[in-house]
Amino acid sequence: MNKKAFIFDLDGVIVDTAKYHFLAWQKIAQSLHINFTHEDNELLKGVSRVRSLDIILELGNVQASQEDKDKWLIQKNEDYLSYLVDMDESEILPGVFKTLQLLKEKNQGIALGSASKNARPILEKTGILSYFDVIVDGNDVTNAKPDPEVFLKAAQLLHIDPKNAIVFEDSVAGIQAANIGGMTSVGIGEETILHEAQYIFKDFTLIDESFIDKLIN
């Protein structure tokens, strides 16, 4: 059986930490008298923390010094981390654990490719850190998606050619990054949003062994 690189995004793919990001950003926005909605939050998917703050400030037409921005970025991360304290395996999205087990049984390379700088503690708290051969997160890359750097680095560390890599993503920027990197893109979410992906599933419960075998062979 061929060995491929299966690369997973974190937020919205393995765990639903997006809700915690939203609450932390909303708290910052409210302190600046900016109305920040769930619809606005869609603009932040797959985007770095620095760019996310800029988007929120643009929404409120707020000008800020770099000193204030740095302060708010630290505050946002502290608020976000406070929500993660009680995370456990119940936070893993449906079907993900089964897919990881299946890939492990088939001796496939498994990597995380995420913009999150808190990836390791999240994987530890949810009990699945040991499933990942390689972790590439926001601490390891300089270019945000749709730049494919995070996925290319993960494939490189697994010693797998990018054309033999499969990326699971829930954001448009992430799908674009996989496609730009010459990888197979699998969208997890809504078809109307992720239509650039080569394959699209509502969630991992719809991904079965025959599909995994098709990707491997």
Side-chain angles (χ1 to χ4, degrees):
M1 190 174 277
N2 300 320
K3 185 159 187 175
K4 301 285 181 75
F6 286 83
I7 307 172
F8 293 75
D9 179 39
L10 181 65
D11 295 340
V13 173
I14 293 176
V15 289
D16 184 17
T17 50
K19 59 191 175 189
Y20 301 133
H21 283 295
F22 171 70
L23 290 171
W25 280 127
Q26 190 179 51
K27 188 173 176 183
I28 295 289
Q30 285 174 343
S31 72
L32 299 171
H33 307 291
I34 299 171
N35 182 35
F36 183 66
T37 66
H38 283 284
E39 289 71 29
D40 295 329
N41 194 51
E42 287 295 312
L43 299 171
L44 310 189
K45 272 195 172 181
V47 174
S48 71
R49 195 185 307 166
V50 171
R51 179 62 190 138
S52 293
L53 177 60
D54 285 339
I55 290 170
I56 291 170
L57 294 177
E58 287 164 13
L59 287 170
N61 197 26
V62 172
Q63 303 294 318
S65 67
Q66 190 57 52
E67 185 181 357
D68 279 338
K69 287 183 180 182
D70 292 342
K71 179 184 68 178
W72 295 330
L73 288 169
I74 292 168
Q75 183 184 330
K76 184 270 170 180
N77 197 48
E78 288 175 350
D79 288 337
Y80 171 68
L81 291 174
S82 72
Y83 293 120
L84 302 185
V85 170
D86 298 322
M87 278 191 87
D88 57 27
E89 64 276 3
S90 69
E91 299 270 2
I92 301 172
L93 289 168
V96 172
F97 189 63
K98 174 198 72 177
T99 303
L100 289 173
Q101 286 181 309
L102 197 56
L103 293 173
K104 211 63 167 172
E105 288 167 9
K106 294 178 183 292
N107 194 35
Q108 296 301 303
I110 303 175
L112 188 87
S114 169
S116 171
K117 292 189 175 182
N118 302 299
R120 285 180 184 275
I122 289 172
L123 294 178
E124 284 174 4
K125 284 180 174 295
T126 53
I128 56 174
L129 180 62
S130 62
Y131 281 88
F132 292 86
D133 304 303
V134 163
I135 293 172
V136 182
D137 63 17
N139 298 298
D140 306 308
V141 295
T142 54
N143 300 306
K145 304 167 190 174
D147 188 289
E149 181 186 9
V150 66
F151 299 144
L152 291 173
K153 193 161 189 176
Q156 180 185 23
L157 291 171
L158 286 170
H159 307 293
I160 301 286
D161 191 298
K163 72 175 187 293
N164 291 319
I166 297 95
V167 173
F168 296 102
E169 260 287 356
D170 74 318
S171 73
V172 173
I175 294 298
Q176 290 171 341
N179 292 341
I180 291 166
M183 304 175 177
T184 299
S185 55
V186 182
I188 304 297
E190 300 296 334
E191 189 170 351
T192 52
I193 297 170
L194 305 175
H195 55 85
E196 293 178 55
Q198 288 159 270
Y199 302 96
I200 303 170
F201 296 91
K202 179 74 174 170
D203 57 42
F204 279 93
T205 63
L206 301 174
I207 294 179
D208 58 17
E209 187 170 3
S210 63
F211 177 69
I212 296 296
D213 287 341
K214 176 182 173 181
L215 293 174
I216 293 171
N217 299 310

